[in-house]
Amino acid sequence: MDNKELLFKGLKYSIGAIPLMFLGPVLIHNAFMNKHTWIHYIVLGVGIFICLTSVTLMFKGIKIIMKSLFDGNEN
């Protein structure tokens, strides 16, 4: 794969993680505000899962970007 293609692949992962960075904490905050209902446990679990997914996607994207920038052709 070309370095430019790897760079865009890494940027795609990182850009995909940005909305999840905002959605996860919003859901967690919503779960803590609605403690009077039983469904807040489900919302809290989904919020935590989205936050973990966001961190994973961002880490994977940064890893791919670093690979495209610093791993030159092995010729």
Side-chain angles (χ1 to χ4, degrees):
M1 204 183 280
D2 192 30
N3 284 346
K4 197 173 196 179
E5 292 175 8
L6 272 177
L7 179 67
F8 286 131
K9 183 179 177 183
L11 285 174
K12 199 181 331 180
Y13 276 111
S14 297
I15 290 171
I18 291 173
L20 298 177
M21 285 183 181
F22 292 101
L23 183 63
V26 167
L27 287 176
I28 291 172
H29 177 74
N30 189 358
F32 283 124
M33 290 289 110
N34 294 323
K35 286 186 178 178
H36 58 277
T37 61
W38 62 270
I39 202 154
H40 79 278
Y41 293 115
I42 297 170
V43 175
L44 181 64
V46 170
I48 291 171
F49 176 74
I50 288 175
C51 284
L52 292 174
T53 304
S54 171
V55 169
T56 303
L57 284 176
M58 187 58 78
F59 176 75
K60 192 172 184 180
I62 290 173
K63 185 177 172 184
I64 292 172
I65 290 171
M66 290 297 124
K67 184 177 179 183
S68 74
L69 292 176
F70 295 116
D71 284 348
N73 291 336
E74 302 287 328
N75 297 334

Coordinates of all heavy atoms in Angstrom, one line a residue:
M1 N 0.8 -1.2 0.0 CA 0.0 0.0 0.0 C 0.9 1.2 0.0 O 1.9 1.3 0.7 CB -0.9 0.0 1.2 CG -2.2 0.8 1.0 SD -3.2 0.8 2.5 CE -4.1 -0.7 2.4
D2 N 0.5 2.2 -0.7 CA 1.3 3.5 -0.8 C 1.2 4.2 0.5 O 0.2 4.1 1.2 CB 0.7 4.3 -2.0 CG 1.6 5.4 -2.3 OD1 2.8 5.3 -2.2 OD2 1.1 6.5 -2.8
N3 N 2.2 5.0 0.8 CA 2.2 5.8 2.0 C 1.0 6.8 2.1 O 0.5 7.1 3.1 CB 3.5 6.5 2.2 CG 4.6 5.6 2.6 OD1 4.4 4.5 3.0 ND2 5.9 6.1 2.5
K4 N 0.7 7.4 0.9 CA -0.4 8.3 0.9 C -1.7 7.6 1.2 O -2.6 8.1 1.9 CB -0.5 8.9 -0.5 CG -1.3 10.2 -0.6 CD -1.1 10.8 -2.0 CE -1.6 12.3 -1.9 NZ -1.5 12.9 -3.2
E5 N -1.9 6.4 0.7 CA -3.1 5.6 1.0 C -3.2 5.2 2.5 O -4.3 5.3 3.1 CB -3.1 4.4 0.1 CG -3.3 4.6 -1.3 CD -3.2 3.3 -2.2 OE1 -3.1 2.2 -1.6 OE2 -3.2 3.4 -3.4
L6 N -2.0 4.9 3.0 CA -2.0 4.6 4.5 C -2.3 5.9 5.3 O -3.1 5.8 6.3 CB -0.6 4.1 4.9 CG -0.4 2.6 4.8 CD1 1.1 2.3 5.2 CD2 -1.3 1.8 5.6
L7 N -1.8 7.0 4.9 CA -2.1 8.3 5.6 C -3.6 8.5 5.6 O -4.2 8.9 6.6 CB -1.4 9.4 4.9 CG -1.6 10.8 5.5 CD1 -1.0 10.8 7.0 CD2 -1.0 11.9 4.7
F8 N -4.3 8.4 4.4 CA -5.7 8.6 4.3 C -6.5 7.6 5.1 O -7.6 7.9 5.7 CB -6.2 8.7 2.9 CG -5.8 10.0 2.2 CD1 -5.1 9.9 0.9 CD2 -6.0 11.2 2.7 CE1 -4.7 11.1 0.3 CE2 -5.6 12.4 2.1 CZ -5.0 12.3 0.9
K9 N -6.0 6.4 5.1 CA -6.7 5.3 5.9 C -6.6 5.7 7.4 O -7.6 5.6 8.2 CB -6.0 4.0 5.7 CG -6.7 2.8 6.4 CD -6.0 1.5 6.1 CE -6.6 0.4 6.9 NZ -5.9 -0.9 6.6
G10 N -5.5 6.1 7.9 CA -5.3 6.6 9.3 C -6.2 7.8 9.6 O -6.8 7.9 10.7
L11 N -6.2 8.7 8.7 CA -7.1 9.9 8.9 C -8.6 9.5 8.9 O -9.3 10.1 9.7 CB -6.8 10.9 7.8 CG -5.6 11.7 7.9 CD1 -5.4 12.6 6.7 CD2 -5.5 12.6 9.1
K12 N -8.9 8.5 8.1 CA -10.3 8.0 8.1 C -10.7 7.5 9.5 O -11.8 7.8 10.0 CB -10.5 7.0 7.0 CG -11.9 6.8 6.7 CD -12.2 5.7 5.6 CE -11.0 5.5 4.6 NZ -11.3 4.4 3.7
Y13 N -9.8 6.7 10.1 CA -10.0 6.2 11.4 C -10.1 7.3 12.5 O -11.0 7.3 13.3 CB -8.9 5.2 11.8 CG -9.1 3.8 11.3 CD1 -8.3 3.3 10.4 CD2 -10.1 3.0 11.9 CE1 -8.4 2.0 9.9 CE2 -10.3 1.7 11.4 CZ -9.4 1.2 10.4 OH -9.6 -0.1 10.0
S14 N -9.2 8.2 12.4 CA -9.2 9.3 13.3 C -10.4 10.2 13.2 O -11.0 10.6 14.2 CB -7.9 10.2 13.2 OG -6.8 9.4 13.4
I15 N -10.8 10.5 12.0 CA -12.0 11.4 11.8 C -13.3 10.6 12.2 O -14.2 11.2 12.8 CB -12.1 11.8 10.3 CG1 -10.9 12.8 10.1 CG2 -13.4 12.4 10.0 CD1 -10.8 13.2 8.6
G16 N -13.3 9.3 12.0 CA -14.4 8.5 12.5 C -14.6 8.5 14.0 O -15.6 8.3 14.5
A17 N -13.4 8.7 14.7 CA -13.5 8.6 16.2 C -13.9 10.0 16.8 O -14.4 10.0 17.9 CB -12.1 8.3 16.7
I18 N -13.8 11.0 16.0 CA -14.2 12.4 16.6 C -15.6 12.5 17.0 O -15.9 12.9 18.2 CB -13.8 13.5 15.6 CG1 -12.2 13.5 15.6 CG2 -14.3 14.8 16.1 CD1 -11.7 14.5 14.5
P19 N -16.6 12.1 16.2 CA -18.0 12.1 16.7 C -18.2 11.3 17.9 O -19.0 11.6 18.8 CB -18.8 11.7 15.5 CG -18.0 11.8 14.4 CD -16.6 11.6 14.8
L20 N -17.5 10.1 18.0 CA -17.7 9.2 19.1 C -17.2 9.8 20.4 O -17.6 9.6 21.5 CB -17.1 7.9 18.9 CG -17.6 7.1 17.7 CD1 -16.9 5.8 17.5 CD2 -19.1 6.8 17.9
M21 N -16.1 10.7 20.3 CA -15.6 11.4 21.4 C -16.6 12.3 22.1 O -16.5 12.6 23.3 CB -14.3 12.2 21.0 CG -13.1 11.4 20.7 SD -11.8 12.5 20.4 CE -10.5 11.3 20.1
F22 N -17.5 12.8 21.3 CA -18.5 13.7 21.9 C -19.8 12.9 22.3 O -20.4 13.3 23.3 CB -18.9 14.8 20.9 CG -17.8 15.8 20.6 CD1 -17.0 15.7 19.5 CD2 -17.5 16.8 21.6 CE1 -16.0 16.6 19.3 CE2 -16.5 17.7 21.4 CZ -15.7 17.6 20.2
L23 N -20.1 11.9 21.5 CA -21.3 11.2 21.8 C -21.2 10.3 23.1 O -22.2 10.3 23.9 CB -21.6 10.2 20.6 CG -22.9 9.4 20.7 CD1 -24.1 10.4 20.8 CD2 -23.0 8.5 19.5
G24 N -20.1 9.7 23.3 CA -19.9 8.9 24.5 C -20.1 9.7 25.8 O -20.9 9.3 26.7
P25 N -19.4 10.8 26.0 CA -19.6 11.5 27.3 C -21.0 12.1 27.4 O -21.5 12.2 28.5 CB -18.6 12.7 27.2 CG -17.5 12.1 26.3 CD -18.2 11.2 25.3
V26 N -21.6 12.4 26.3 CA -23.0 12.9 26.4 C -23.9 11.8 26.9 O -24.8 12.1 27.8 CB -23.5 13.5 25.0 CG1 -25.0 13.7 24.9 CG2 -22.8 14.7 24.6
L27 N -23.7 10.6 26.4 CA -24.6 9.5 26.9 C -24.3 9.2 28.3 O -25.2 8.9 29.1 CB -24.3 8.3 26.0 CG -25.0 8.3 24.6 CD1 -24.6 7.1 23.8 CD2 -26.5 8.4 24.7
I28 N -23.0 9.2 28.7 CA -22.7 9.0 30.1 C -23.3 10.0 31.0 O -23.9 9.7 32.1 CB -21.2 8.9 30.3 CG1 -20.6 7.6 29.6 CG2 -20.8 8.9 31.8 CD1 -19.1 7.6 29.5
H29 N -23.2 11.3 30.6 CA -23.8 12.4 31.4 C -25.4 12.2 31.5 O -26.0 12.4 32.6 CB -23.5 13.7 30.8 CG -24.1 14.9 31.5 ND1 -23.7 15.3 32.7 CD2 -25.2 15.7 31.1 CE1 -24.4 16.4 33.1 NE2 -25.4 16.6 32.1
N30 N -26.0 11.8 30.4 CA -27.4 11.6 30.4 C -27.8 10.4 31.3 O -28.8 10.5 32.0 CB -27.8 11.2 28.9 CG -29.3 11.2 28.8 OD1 -30.1 11.3 29.7 ND2 -29.8 11.0 27.6
A31 N -26.9 9.4 31.3 CA -27.2 8.2 32.2 C -27.2 8.7 33.7 O -28.0 8.2 34.5 CB -26.2 7.1 32.0
F32 N -26.2 9.5 34.0 CA -26.1 10.0 35.4 C -27.2 11.0 35.8 O -27.6 11.1 37.0 CB -24.8 10.5 35.7 CG -23.7 9.5 35.9 CD1 -22.6 9.5 35.1 CD2 -23.8 8.5 36.8 CE1 -21.6 8.5 35.3 CE2 -22.9 7.5 37.0 CZ -21.8 7.5 36.2
M33 N -27.8 11.7 34.8 CA -28.9 12.6 35.1 C -30.2 11.9 35.3 O -31.1 12.4 35.9 CB -29.0 13.7 34.0 CG -27.8 14.6 34.0 SD -27.9 15.8 35.4 CE -26.5 15.2 36.3
N34 N -30.4 10.7 34.7 CA -31.6 10.0 34.7 C -31.5 8.8 35.5 O -31.9 7.7 35.1 CB -32.1 9.6 33.3 CG -32.4 10.8 32.4 OD1 -32.9 11.8 32.9 ND2 -32.0 10.8 31.2
K35 N -31.1 8.9 36.8 CA -31.0 7.8 37.7 C -32.3 7.2 38.2 O -32.4 6.2 38.7 CB -30.1 8.1 38.9 CG -28.7 8.2 38.6 CD -27.9 8.5 39.8 CE -26.4 8.5 39.5 NZ -25.6 8.8 40.7
H36 N -33.4 8.0 38.0 CA -34.7 7.5 38.4 C -35.3 6.5 37.6 O -36.4 5.9 37.9 CB -35.6 8.7 38.6 CG -35.9 9.5 37.3 ND1 -35.0 10.4 36.9 CD2 -36.8 9.4 36.4 CE1 -35.4 10.9 35.8 NE2 -36.5 10.3 35.4
T37 N -34.8 6.2 36.4 CA -35.3 5.2 35.5 C -34.3 4.0 35.5 O -33.1 4.1 35.8 CB -35.5 5.7 34.1 OG1 -34.2 6.1 33.6 CG2 -36.4 6.9 34.0
W38 N -34.8 2.8 35.1 CA -34.0 1.6 35.1 C -33.1 1.5 33.9 O -32.1 0.8 33.9 CB -34.9 0.4 35.2 CG -35.8 0.2 34.1 CD1 -37.1 0.7 34.0 CD2 -35.5 -0.4 32.8 NE1 -37.6 0.4 32.7 CE2 -36.7 -0.3 32.0 CE3 -34.4 -1.1 32.3 CZ2 -36.8 -0.8 30.7 CZ3 -34.5 -1.6 31.0 CH2 -35.7 -1.5 30.3
I39 N -33.5 2.3 32.9 CA -32.7 2.2 31.6 C -31.4 2.9 31.6 O -30.6 2.8 30.7 CB -33.6 2.7 30.4 CG1 -33.2 2.1 29.1 CG2 -33.7 4.2 30.4 CD1 -34.2 2.0 28.1
H40 N -31.1 3.7 32.7 CA -29.9 4.4 32.7 C -28.7 3.5 32.8 O -27.6 3.9 32.4 CB -29.9 5.4 33.9 CG -29.6 4.8 35.2 ND1 -30.5 4.2 36.0 CD2 -28.4 4.7 35.9 CE1 -30.0 3.7 37.1 NE2 -28.7 4.1 37.1
Y41 N -28.8 2.2 33.3 CA -27.7 1.3 33.2 C -27.3 0.9 31.8 O -26.2 0.8 31.5 CB -28.1 0.0 34.0 CG -28.3 0.2 35.5 CD1 -29.5 0.1 36.1 CD2 -27.2 0.6 36.3 CE1 -29.7 0.3 37.4 CE2 -27.3 0.8 37.6 CZ -28.6 0.6 38.2 OH -28.7 0.8 39.6
I42 N -28.4 0.8 31.0 CA -28.1 0.4 29.6 C -27.4 1.6 28.9 O -26.5 1.4 28.1 CB -29.4 0.0 28.9 CG1 -30.0 -1.2 29.5 CG2 -29.2 -0.2 27.4 CD1 -31.4 -1.6 29.1
V43 N -27.9 2.8 29.1 CA -27.4 4.0 28.5 C -25.9 4.2 29.0 O -25.1 4.6 28.2 CB -28.3 5.2 28.8 CG1 -27.6 6.5 28.3 CG2 -29.6 5.1 28.2
L44 N -25.7 4.0 30.2 CA -24.3 4.1 30.8 C -23.4 3.1 30.1 O -22.3 3.4 29.7 CB -24.3 3.9 32.3 CG -23.0 4.0 33.0 CD1 -22.4 5.4 32.8 CD2 -23.1 3.6 34.4
G45 N -23.8 1.8 29.9 CA -23.0 0.8 29.3 C -22.7 1.2 27.8 O -21.6 1.0 27.4
V46 N -23.7 1.7 27.1 CA -23.5 2.1 25.7 C -22.6 3.3 25.7 O -21.7 3.3 24.8 CB -24.9 2.4 25.1 CG1 -24.7 3.1 23.7 CG2 -25.7 1.2 24.9
G47 N -22.7 4.2 26.6 CA -21.8 5.4 26.6 C -20.3 5.0 26.9 O -19.4 5.5 26.2
I48 N -20.1 4.1 27.8 CA -18.8 3.6 28.1 C -18.2 2.8 26.9 O -17.1 3.0 26.5 CB -18.8 2.7 29.4 CG1 -19.0 3.6 30.6 CG2 -17.5 2.0 29.5 CD1 -19.3 2.9 31.9
F49 N -19.1 2.0 26.3 CA -18.6 1.3 25.1 C -18.2 2.2 23.9 O -17.2 2.0 23.3 CB -19.7 0.3 24.6 CG -19.4 -0.4 23.3 CD1 -18.5 -1.4 23.4 CD2 -20.0 -0.1 22.1 CE1 -18.1 -2.1 22.2 CE2 -19.6 -0.7 21.0 CZ -18.7 -1.8 21.0
I50 N -19.0 3.3 23.7 CA -18.7 4.2 22.7 C -17.4 5.0 23.0 O -16.6 5.2 22.1 CB -19.9 5.2 22.5 CG1 -21.0 4.5 21.8 CG2 -19.5 6.4 21.7 CD1 -22.3 5.3 21.6
C51 N -17.2 5.3 24.3 CA -15.9 6.0 24.7 C -14.7 5.1 24.4 O -13.7 5.5 23.9 CB -15.9 6.4 26.1 SG -16.9 7.8 26.4
L52 N -14.8 3.8 24.8 CA -13.7 2.9 24.5 C -13.5 2.6 23.0 O -12.3 2.5 22.6 CB -14.0 1.5 25.2 CG -14.0 1.6 26.8 CD1 -14.4 0.2 27.3 CD2 -12.6 1.9 27.3
T53 N -14.6 2.6 22.3 CA -14.4 2.5 20.8 C -13.7 3.7 20.2 O -12.9 3.5 19.3 CB -15.8 2.3 20.2 OG1 -16.4 1.1 20.8 CG2 -15.7 2.1 18.7
S54 N -14.1 4.8 20.7 CA -13.4 6.1 20.3 C -11.9 6.1 20.5 O -11.1 6.4 19.6 CB -14.1 7.3 20.9 OG -13.4 8.4 20.6
V55 N -11.5 5.7 21.7 CA -10.1 5.6 22.1 C -9.4 4.6 21.2 O -8.3 4.9 20.7 CB -9.9 5.3 23.6 CG1 -8.5 5.0 23.9 CG2 -10.4 6.5 24.4
T56 N -10.0 3.5 21.0 CA -9.4 2.4 20.1 C -9.3 2.9 18.7 O -8.2 2.7 18.1 CB -10.3 1.1 20.2 OG1 -10.4 0.7 21.5 CG2 -9.7 0.0 19.4
L57 N -10.3 3.5 18.1 CA -10.2 4.0 16.8 C -9.1 5.1 16.6 O -8.4 5.1 15.6 CB -11.6 4.5 16.3 CG -12.6 3.5 15.9 CD1 -13.9 4.2 15.6 CD2 -12.1 2.6 14.8
M58 N -9.1 6.0 17.6 CA -8.1 7.0 17.5 C -6.7 6.5 17.6 O -5.8 6.9 16.9 CB -8.3 8.1 18.6 CG -7.5 9.3 18.5 SD -7.6 10.2 16.9 CE -9.1 11.1 17.2
F59 N -6.5 5.5 18.5 CA -5.2 4.9 18.7 C -4.8 4.2 17.4 O -3.6 4.3 16.9 CB -5.2 3.9 19.8 CG -3.9 3.1 20.0 CD1 -2.7 3.8 20.5 CD2 -3.8 1.8 19.6 CE1 -1.6 3.1 20.6 CE2 -2.6 1.1 19.7 CZ -1.5 1.8 20.2
K60 N -5.7 3.5 16.8 CA -5.4 2.7 15.5 C -5.1 3.7 14.4 O -4.2 3.5 13.6 CB -6.7 1.9 15.2 CG -6.4 0.9 14.1 CD -7.6 0.0 14.0 CE -7.4 -1.1 13.0 NZ -8.5 -2.0 12.9
G61 N -5.9 4.8 14.4 CA -5.6 5.8 13.3 C -4.3 6.5 13.5 O -3.6 6.7 12.5
I62 N -3.9 6.8 14.7 CA -2.6 7.4 14.9 C -1.5 6.5 14.6 O -0.4 6.8 14.0 CB -2.5 8.0 16.4 CG1 -3.4 9.2 16.5 CG2 -1.1 8.4 16.7 CD1 -3.5 9.7 17.9
K63 N -1.7 5.2 14.9 CA -0.7 4.2 14.6 C -0.5 4.0 13.1 O 0.7 3.9 12.7 CB -1.1 2.8 15.3 CG -0.2 1.7 15.1 CD -0.7 0.5 15.8 CE 0.2 -0.7 15.6 NZ -0.4 -1.9 16.2
I64 N -1.6 4.0 12.4 CA -1.5 3.9 10.9 C -0.8 5.2 10.3 O 0.0 5.1 9.4 CB -2.9 3.6 10.3 CG1 -3.3 2.3 10.7 CG2 -2.8 3.8 8.8 CD1 -4.8 2.0 10.3
I65 N -1.2 6.3 10.9 CA -0.6 7.6 10.4 C 0.9 7.6 10.6 O 1.8 7.9 9.8 CB -1.2 8.8 11.0 CG1 -2.7 9.0 10.5 CG2 -0.4 10.1 10.7 CD1 -3.5 10.0 11.2
M66 N 1.4 7.1 11.8 CA 2.8 7.1 12.1 C 3.5 6.1 11.2 O 4.6 6.3 10.8 CB 3.0 6.7 13.6 CG 2.6 7.8 14.6 SD 3.6 9.3 14.3 CE 2.4 10.5 14.1
K67 N 2.8 5.0 10.9 CA 3.4 4.0 10.0 C 3.6 4.6 8.6 O 4.6 4.3 8.0 CB 2.5 2.7 10.0 CG 3.1 1.6 9.2 CD 2.2 0.4 9.2 CE 2.7 -0.7 8.4 NZ 1.8 -1.9 8.4
S68 N 2.6 5.3 8.2 CA 2.7 5.9 6.8 C 3.8 7.0 6.8 O 4.4 7.2 5.7 CB 1.4 6.5 6.4 OG 1.1 7.7 7.0
L69 N 4.0 7.7 7.9 CA 5.0 8.8 7.8 C 6.4 8.3 8.1 O 7.4 8.8 7.4 CB 4.7 9.8 8.9 CG 3.4 10.6 8.7 CD1 3.1 11.6 9.9 CD2 3.5 11.4 7.4
F70 N 6.6 7.4 8.9 CA 8.0 7.0 9.3 C 8.5 5.7 8.8 O 9.7 5.4 8.9 CB 8.1 7.0 10.8 CG 7.9 8.4 11.4 CD1 6.8 8.7 12.2 CD2 8.8 9.5 11.1 CE1 6.6 10.0 12.7 CE2 8.6 10.7 11.6 CZ 7.5 11.0 12.4
D71 N 7.6 4.8 8.3 CA 8.1 3.6 7.7 C 8.2 3.8 6.2 O 7.3 3.7 5.5 CB 7.1 2.4 8.0 CG 7.2 1.9 9.4 OD1 8.2 2.3 10.1 OD2 6.3 1.1 9.8
G72 N 9.4 4.1 5.8 CA 9.7 4.3 4.4 C 9.6 3.0 3.6 O 9.4 1.9 4.2
N73 N 9.9 3.1 2.3 CA 9.9 1.9 1.5 C 11.1 1.1 1.9 O 12.2 1.6 2.1 CB 10.0 2.3 0.0 CG 8.7 2.9 -0.5 OD1 7.6 2.7 0.1 ND2 8.8 3.7 -1.5
E74 N 10.9 -0.2 2.0 CA 12.0 -1.1 2.4 C 12.9 -1.5 1.3 O 13.4 -2.6 1.3 CB 11.3 -2.4 3.1 CG 10.4 -2.1 4.2 CD 11.1 -1.7 5.5 OE1 12.2 -2.2 5.7 OE2 10.5 -0.9 6.2
N75 N 13.1 -0.7 0.3 CA 14.0 -1.0 -0.8 C 15.4 -1.0 -0.5 O 16.0 -0.2 0.0 CB 13.6 -0.1 -2.0 CG 12.2 -0.3 -2.5 OD1 11.6 -1.3 -2.3 ND2 11.7 0.7 -3.1

